Amino acid sequence: MYDDKEEARKTLDRVREFVSKHPTVYCGTHTPQGYENLEGKKVVDLANPPKTIPVGEIVFKTASGKYVCSVCGYVYDPVIGDEKNGIPAGTRFENLPDDWRCPRCKQGKDKFNKA
C-alpha cells in the first residue's frame, strides 16, 4: 500500500541499493520462509529473485499432512517426525503427545496450522 507511487518507488530503490551493498537476509513476516532464511543465513540475491508462483497455479485446500507453526514457521512433517524429541517418523500430528512443543520456538500444538 502506498499513497504516493513516486515516493514508494524511491523507497524501494533505496532498499535495493542498500541490499546490493550490504549482504542482507530477508525475513518476511507473512511467510514461514522468514525464519528459515534467517536460520540458513540466506542472503537476498537481487539478480536472481525467487520464482513467483502465478495465482492460477497455486493449489488450495490440498492436505499434506504437514503442520506449520504460526509463530516461527517450523514445519512438522509426519514422514520425518521429530527424532530429536523422541517422535518417530510416521507419527501423525494428531497423535503427537499433548505436551509436545515446537522444536524451534517451544510453542504448543495449538500454535500449528494444517499445511
Side-chain angles (χ1 to χ4, degrees):
M1 300 270 319
Y2 52 81
D3 293 324
D4 185 327
K5 192 172 183 176
E6 186 176 322
E7 283 301 313
R9 172 53 52 199
K10 287 178 187 177
T11 299
L12 184 56
D13 288 343
R14 285 193 305 271
V15 169
R16 289 179 179 273
E17 181 181 352
F18 177 87
V19 168
S20 70
K21 294 178 182 176
H22 304 88
T24 304
V25 174
Y26 175 70
C27 296
T29 57
H30 297 285
T31 65
Q33 288 75 31
Y35 196 105
E36 291 173 10
N37 289 347
L38 183 60
E39 192 173 63
K41 297 180 183 173
K42 294 179 183 174
V43 175
V44 173
D45 180 358
L46 294 175
N48 298 297
K51 182 181 175 186
T52 300
I53 301 171
V55 173
E57 293 179 21
I58 296 173
V59 177
F60 295 96
K61 298 184 181 178
T62 302
S64 67
K66 298 177 184 178
Y67 280 72
V68 180
C69 178
S70 62
V71 175
C72 72
Y74 171 82
V75 177
Y76 175 79
D77 184 345
V79 172
I80 298 169
D82 179 13
E83 197 172 301
K84 290 181 183 177
N85 293 298
I87 307 297
T91 303
R92 295 177 45 181
F93 186 83
E94 296 84 358
N95 296 335
L96 290 171
D98 291 338
D99 63 347
W100 180 84
R101 300 259 181 227
C102 175
R104 189 180 283 160
C105 71
K106 309 303 181 212
Q107 295 296 312
K109 289 172 54 176
D110 63 318
K111 297 297 183 188
F112 280 74
N113 299 304
K114 289 182 181 182

